[in-house]
Amino acid sequence: MTEKVQLTPKQLDIMRHTVMGGSRELPSDYETGGFYRNRFVTGPGSSDYEVCNSLVEAGIMEVRRDVEMMGGSDCFSLSKAGLELADKLFSPGEEA
């Protein structure tokens, strides 16, 4: 990942969704100390697809292409650097 990356609001929203889910609320049994998920599924034709690929290029996300279990869509996840950044940016359980 480059030393300084300027993230757009859409990139930040996708990063947040990747580790916190759609509601951005954690399950009631969540224990502090990390995020409970790390995935974002999308594919060509979605407005999120190019944004996710830009995060891959920046070293913030990783991707597995054509995941059969995901209906052939791509499965993106935050890289180690992305998780470290998310830990600084987002609070587990924060409101949308």
Side-chain angles (χ1 to χ4, degrees):
M1 179 171 72
T2 58
E3 200 167 298
K4 288 275 185 174
V5 176
Q6 190 76 341
L7 297 171
T8 68
K10 184 67 175 173
Q11 287 173 317
L12 289 168
D13 187 54
I14 286 175
M15 288 177 64
R16 183 182 295 109
H17 183 95
T18 300
V19 293
M20 298 178 133
S23 68
R24 298 184 188 105
E25 294 177 10
L26 299 176
S28 59
D29 63 345
Y30 177 81
E31 297 178 9
T32 54
F35 298 106
Y36 77 103
R37 59 176 271 155
N38 186 11
R39 68 183 173 283
F40 190 96
V41 179
T42 188
S46 168
S47 61
D48 297 328
Y49 190 69
E50 292 305 317
V51 178
C52 288
N53 280 303
S54 71
L55 289 166
V56 170
E57 290 174 16
I60 294 171
M61 291 189 103
E62 301 170 336
V63 62
R64 291 188 313 165
R65 304 265 182 216
D66 302 317
V67 179
E68 185 177 339
M69 187 172 88
M70 305 294 182
S73 292
D74 294 350
C75 186
F76 293 84
S77 59
L78 294 185
S79 64
K80 181 178 178 184
L83 286 169
E84 289 171 359
L85 181 58
D87 192 47
K88 293 175 185 173
L89 295 173
F90 312 126
S91 300
E94 75 178 36
E95 293 297 320

